[in-house]
């Protein structure tokens, strides 16, 4: 169903690690560690400024891949793993893109399910790697039928 998209990549999108968004995110996940929210703690840390929680990159815009039209509802979040070179620094710019790495299908008792493997990548303004998030999106038989209509 999505094999033709393997290797497709979105254009890079500029994002900013905004201080207010980091504070709200830290509160939402229940981790108000001072390294995320207290400016003095940030200045006194080895990073010399505040950092974002590891999963903060989930809120970034990774762009769109032309022709890949996944529905807004009905998809299952199957897996997510993160690899970081270093933490994200509060107020830095991060350039993000998404790439389709694989697509495969499995049959089960409820029909065929599709597994779309994405890599969401972030780089600094110089194009240096910051992080990668591997994400597996599960597309159920019901959703597959809706897409192919």
């Amino acid at each position: 169903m999505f094999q033709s998209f393997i290797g497709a990549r979105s254009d890079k999108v500029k994002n900013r690690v905004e201080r207010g968004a980091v504070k709200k995110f830290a509160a939402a996940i229940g981790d108000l560690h001072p390294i995320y929210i207290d400016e003095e703690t940030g200045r006194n840390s080895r990073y010399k400024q505040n950092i974002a929680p590891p999963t903060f990159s989930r809120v970034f815009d990774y762009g769109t891949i032309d022709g890949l039209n996944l529905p807004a509802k009905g998809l299952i979040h199957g897996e997510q793993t993160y690899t970081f070179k270093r933490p994200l620094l509060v107020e830095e710019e991060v350039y993000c893109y998404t790439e389709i790495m694989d697509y495969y299908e499995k049959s089960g008792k409820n029909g065929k399910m599709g597994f779309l493997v994405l890599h969401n990548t972030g780089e600094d303004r110089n194009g240096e790697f910051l992080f990668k998030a591997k994400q597996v999106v599960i597309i159920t038989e019901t959703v597959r039928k809706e897409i192919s209509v």
Side-chain angles (χ1 to χ4, degrees):
M1 180 172 227
F2 292 102
Q3 284 89 353
S4 64
F5 287 98
I6 295 173
R9 184 176 139 175
S10 68
D11 291 333
K12 289 182 185 178
V13 177
K14 181 170 83 169
N15 293 268
R16 201 169 112 248
V17 184
E18 298 172 348
R19 181 173 301 284
V22 168
K23 287 181 180 180
K24 287 178 185 175
F25 188 87
I29 64 171
D31 187 356
L32 294 172
H33 192 287
I35 191 66
Y36 306 140
I37 59 173
D38 181 69
E39 291 184 48
E40 184 177 343
T41 299
R43 278 192 301 276
N44 293 325
S45 75
R46 64 181 164 166
Y47 305 108
K48 304 299 181 209
Q49 63 190 95
N50 295 106
I51 61 173
T55 55
F56 182 79
S57 60
R58 184 77 178 109
V59 305
F60 288 153
D61 181 354
Y62 292 90
T64 57
I65 295 175
D66 290 336
L68 181 66
N69 300 314
L70 295 173
K73 291 193 227 176
L75 301 174
I76 299 172
H77 183 85
E79 172 187 346
Q80 186 133 17
T81 56
Y82 293 88
T83 304
F84 291 93
K85 179 177 179 182
R86 64 162 172 81
L88 298 174
L89 306 174
V90 169
E91 298 304 334
E92 83 173 308
E93 292 178 347
V94 181
Y95 296 81
C96 300
Y97 60 91
T98 191
E99 184 174 5
I100 307 294
M101 302 307 293
D102 196 8
Y103 177 77
Y104 55 94
E105 296 175 345
K106 292 184 179 180
S107 293
K109 61 182 176 184
N110 294 321
K112 271 190 182 176
M113 293 174 54
F115 295 81
L116 189 62
V117 181
L118 309 168
H119 279 182
N120 294 327
T121 303
E123 300 173 347
D124 68 14
R125 65 175 40 179
N126 298 318
E128 294 290 322
F129 172 82
L130 293 175
F131 69 87
K132 182 169 289 188
K134 174 187 174 188
Q135 177 181 7
V136 178
V137 177
I138 302 171
I139 306 164
T140 63
E141 179 73 18
T142 304
V143 172
R144 287 168 43 83
K145 287 178 183 174
E146 287 179 26
I147 292 172
S148 51
V149 171

